[in-house]
Amino acid sequence: GGWRVSNRALIPVLLSGGAGTRLWPVSREAHPKPFMQLADGQSLLQKTLIRAARLGGVETVLTITNREYFFKTRDDYEALGAEAKVEKAFLLEPMGRNTGPAVALGALMVSEKWGADAVMLVLAADHLIEGDEAFGNAVRIAAELARDAELVTFGVKPTVAETGYGYIEQGKPLDTPGGYR
């Protein structure tokens, strides 16, 4: 199938790469974290695709991955069958250069293929997010803000201090409920 071009389209962009060193030996370069199977038999990557496909109005999901992971990614997606019925597009990096360049490439592709008014939802393929309804509501609020030219980031309230992560300083509430400067 061809690309669907639509103003104001919501395009989930799944970032799936990395060397898999933090969870070694379970995750490693040949089998990075997104491909790890959980107890229910699904990988984190599969769960991310399902989560994106269940969002209202999503017709296409763009996955940015390393060339070496393309076939494994495609196989993971195909194994889901009807559970993730969306068009699947891919952008293959010749080598990983971290999140920033991947997001920039994704933004260029989304703008080119779906229009400058499309809303891009960047999702890490190695996150486990529970609560589809809460996630969908957060995405709906974020998409409303993004359509008003806001750059939106999601935050999780920390339960312990962790120097490996950044912190978001919450500002004043916006007119859109659930959004803050």
Side-chain angles (χ1 to χ4, degrees), residues 44-123:
L44 290 169
L45 174 64
Q46 288 172 317
K47 289 184 176 299
T48 306
L49 177 64
I50 291 167
R51 186 178 321 113
R54 286 183 181 162
L55 294 169
V58 170
E59 297 177 8
T60 305
V61 174
L62 171 62
T63 301
I64 302 176
T65 190
N66 191 305
R67 288 187 309 198
E68 285 76 31
Y69 302 145
F70 170 69
F71 293 106
K72 179 142 184 58
T73 300
R74 190 189 63 192
D75 292 347
D76 260 22
Y77 286 177
E78 287 178 3
L80 292 173
E83 198 167 357
K85 255 192 150 166
V86 290
E87 184 176 348
K88 295 156 192 89
F90 295 90
L91 180 58
L92 305 180
E93 295 180 297
M95 64 188 70
R97 292 287 184 218
N98 291 324
T99 304
V103 170
L105 285 173
L108 289 170
M109 185 170 179
V110 166
S111 179
E112 180 182 316
K113 300 294 183 184
W114 291 280
D117 287 342
V119 174
M120 184 170 85
L121 172 65
V122 179
L123 300 171

Side-chain angles (χ1 to χ4, degrees), residues 10-11 19 44 87 117 119 123 142 150 154 161 163 165 167:
L10 176 63
I11 309 296
L44 290 169
E87 184 176 348
D117 287 342
V119 174
L123 300 171
E150 296 285 350
F154 295 92
T163 59
Y165 298 105
Y167 290 89

Side-chain angles (χ1 to χ4, degrees), residues 20-42:
T21 55
R22 280 194 285 199
L23 291 177
W24 185 90
V26 175
S27 175
R28 54 204 179 278
E29 191 167 354
H31 192 77
K33 189 175 166 189
F35 300 108
M36 290 174 38
Q37 282 195 347
L38 301 180
D40 64 3
Q42 288 182 338

